[in-house]
Amino acid sequence: MIILSEIPLYQQIKTYIIEQIHSGRWPKHHQIPPERELAQQFSVSRITAIKAITDLVEQGYLQRHRGRGTFVLPVTEEKMNQSSREGDRIDYGRGARIGNKEKSGLIGVLLPFFEFHYANTLFAGLESALSSSGYHVVIRKIEKAYGDETVAVRDLIELGVEGLAIVAIQDEHFMPDILRLVLDDFPLVFVEKNIRDLKANNVYSDTEKAGFLMGSYLAAQADNPVGLVTYPSQFSLGVKERTYGFQMGLVQNGLSPLSEDNQLIVPFELLRDRNQLDEHFECAAITDFITQRTELKAIAAADAFLAKLVCRACEKSGRDDMKVVCVDYPAFHSQHVYPIAYVDQSPYELGQSAANVLISAIHSQEKQEIVLQPKLVETRA
């Protein structure tokens, strides 16, 4: 017997509709209540009601007519008997999953392209907190946002992971597989990326403030004009927020916002792990940017990897006087040009917080959001 309170809300709506159909209260061709009424009836969001109806449309119980509504389809006796025998093959979510399935002790981590030092520090915090609670971590590296993400999620679920930590998958959208996991209350946490339309577990650094700290610091240095080297806006929502914060930091401290000419968006081809492993790798676009803009006195880089490339380009161009700031600890050494300051996002603490939120999610449906505040650290007096 399934206790109703253990069933995810959208499954409760599905069960309710199926019972209305099987009892004959909603005969074939009957128009069911609209999503907003079902949402009010069950005290859920409209998207939860939509999910329940969409599932039943896919299973052949309902049919949508654009502009008219949703109607009951004829249900065969065989389908009714099958539904009764198998409970409509509904996955009843965490209550049934954890209660009836042996725990694997595995946690899946989806990790996209990240600057190595930041990624390793974040993962160290995540793994430390998970292992101290008896969990083992399975990592899937994501190279391409869409195909890799979908395959990775499905593979990890089939492996039997008890929870997922999804780290800043590229782009600001979510694949249907991940949205379904959120709606199903599967234990997961988004790290360095927050999902805004649905209530979910989020742990991230205030990226807009990180950009603001860089802009404010350079404005205080009285080094104008300044430049910005960053990733494409499609890379992640954090890139947009960081750029906006940087512009605000300049403006609120008396400088004009950057023109497009003083901003360099590096190509996607740059974002490969092998480029970080190559100690002699240089980005021609960055070198050209610095060489052609001799008026620039300072440059902000979106992360430590780009800062490394900026410093190499400055050395190659003879710009030893260039002041460079970046987000995240610049874990590299240079004889001539080195960032004068960086914004610390506390990746180890971020990883530990994400692990603790995920462990809590495995045992509870309470959703949490933790936002860490970055701080600026000067590397030279």
Side-chain angles (χ1 to χ4, degrees):
M1 179 178 179
I2 299 297
I3 300 174
L4 191 61
S5 62
E6 294 180 343
I7 303 175
L9 293 172
Y10 87 95
Q11 296 285 15
Q12 294 184 32
I13 299 175
K14 285 180 64 175
T15 301
Y16 168 76
I17 293 174
I18 291 172
E19 287 177 351
Q20 300 306 303
I21 295 173
H22 285 186
S23 67
R25 288 187 289 272
W26 290 1
K28 63 181 180 180
H29 308 311
H30 174 83
Q31 183 175 5
I32 73 168
E35 292 100 345
R36 65 177 180 278
E37 291 186 15
L38 289 170
Q40 292 173 355
Q41 179 179 343
F42 284 85
S43 299
V44 298
S45 67
R46 187 165 177 264
I47 196 169
T48 301
I50 291 174
K51 172 176 168 50
I53 292 173
T54 299
D55 282 2
L56 291 177
V57 169
E58 293 176 354
Q59 293 171 12
Y61 284 98
L62 303 173
Q63 183 176 37
R64 281 197 176 100
H65 291 279
R66 180 171 295 181
R68 293 176 54 200
T70 305
F71 299 82
V72 175
L73 284 174
V75 181
T76 64
E77 183 176 351
E78 179 183 358
K79 188 173 185 64
M80 291 177 66
N81 291 336
Q82 180 183 3
S83 176
S84 297
R85 289 194 307 269
E86 303 181 12
D88 196 42
R89 295 184 179 179
I90 292 175
D91 173 8
Y92 285 101
R94 179 185 294 104
R97 180 171 57 251
I98 292 182
N100 299 330
K101 183 177 180 180
E102 183 179 352
K103 295 182 180 180
S104 65
L106 299 178
I107 297 294
V109 177
L110 269 65
L111 189 68
F113 172 90
F114 253 118
E115 191 274 326
F116 279 169
H117 182 268
Y118 180 88
N120 290 339
T121 306
L122 186 152
F123 178 74
L126 186 72
E127 195 278 335
S128 173
L130 288 172
S131 63
S132 65
S133 296
Y135 291 98
H136 304 281
V137 178
V138 181
I139 303 177
R140 281 296 301 267
K141 194 75 171 62
I142 305 299
E143 291 291 340
K144 299 177 182 178
Y146 296 112
D148 280 7
E149 178 181 339
T150 299
V151 172
V153 168
R154 293 178 180 175
D155 287 349
L156 289 170
I157 295 298
E158 289 180 4
L159 189 62
V161 296
E162 292 187 49
L164 286 173
I166 300 176
V167 184
I169 299 301
Q170 296 174 9
D171 205 290
E172 61 187 89
H173 304 292
F174 290 86
M175 296 302 295
D177 296 71
I178 292 180
L179 287 174
R180 183 172 291 274
L181 289 175
V182 174
L183 290 167
D184 285 350
D185 274 327
F186 185 86
L188 58 80
V189 58
F190 293 106
V191 188
E192 280 293 13
K193 177 170 184 174
N194 57 315
I195 182 167
R196 294 176 171 178
D197 295 332
L198 295 174
K199 192 172 184 181
N201 294 302
N202 301 298
V203 178
Y204 56 96
S205 176
D206 187 338
T207 55
E208 183 177 316
K209 183 176 180 180
F212 182 84
L213 290 173
M214 284 200 301
S216 299
Y217 181 77
L218 287 184
Q221 299 296 306
D223 289 314
N224 190 38
V226 301
L228 174 67
V229 177
T230 186
Y231 296 111
S233 59
Q234 303 94 325
F235 181 63
S236 73
L237 182 61
V239 168
K240 298 178 183 178
E241 294 175 340
R242 194 169 297 178
T243 301
Y244 175 79
F246 180 73
Q247 296 277 30
M248 291 300 297
L250 294 177
V251 171
Q252 290 190 21
N253 287 276
L255 297 185
S256 300
L258 290 190
S259 64
E260 291 186 2
D261 288 341
N262 285 346
Q263 299 181 55
L264 175 65
I265 311 299
V266 297
F268 271 111
E269 294 72 32
L270 183 70
L271 313 182
R272 299 288 184 270
D273 286 342
R274 62 176 178 271
N275 293 338
Q276 294 194 63
L277 291 170
D278 184 355
E279 286 300 318
H280 303 288
F281 176 75
E282 296 180 0
C283 176
I286 294 177
T287 301
D288 291 344
F289 177 76
I290 292 172
T291 302
Q292 295 168 9
R293 289 164 177 76
T294 56
E295 74 280 4
L296 294 181
K297 297 182 179 179
I299 292 179
D303 70 1
F305 176 50
L306 293 184
K308 179 190 296 187
L309 299 179
V310 167
C311 289
R312 285 178 184 170
C314 287
E315 292 176 3
K316 185 174 183 179
S317 305
R319 291 299 310 274
D320 293 0
D321 60 328
M322 184 74 76
K323 292 185 177 180
V324 179
V325 299
C326 61
V327 176
D328 303 329
Y329 176 70
F332 60 92
H333 301 283
S334 171
Q335 293 181 346
H336 303 291
V337 182
Y338 189 82
I340 61 173
Y342 69 94
V343 177
D344 181 10
Q345 298 189 100
S346 304
Y348 189 84
E349 181 184 352
L350 191 76
Q352 288 211 312
S353 297
N356 291 331
V357 168
L358 184 55
I359 293 169
S360 176
I362 291 174
H363 302 287
S364 168
Q365 294 188 21
E366 288 291 328
K367 300 297 188 296
Q368 300 182 58
E369 180 171 84
I370 296 177
V371 185
L372 300 186
Q373 296 303 313
K375 55 184 178 294
L376 189 128
V377 179
E378 291 187 298
T379 59
R380 298 178 181 177

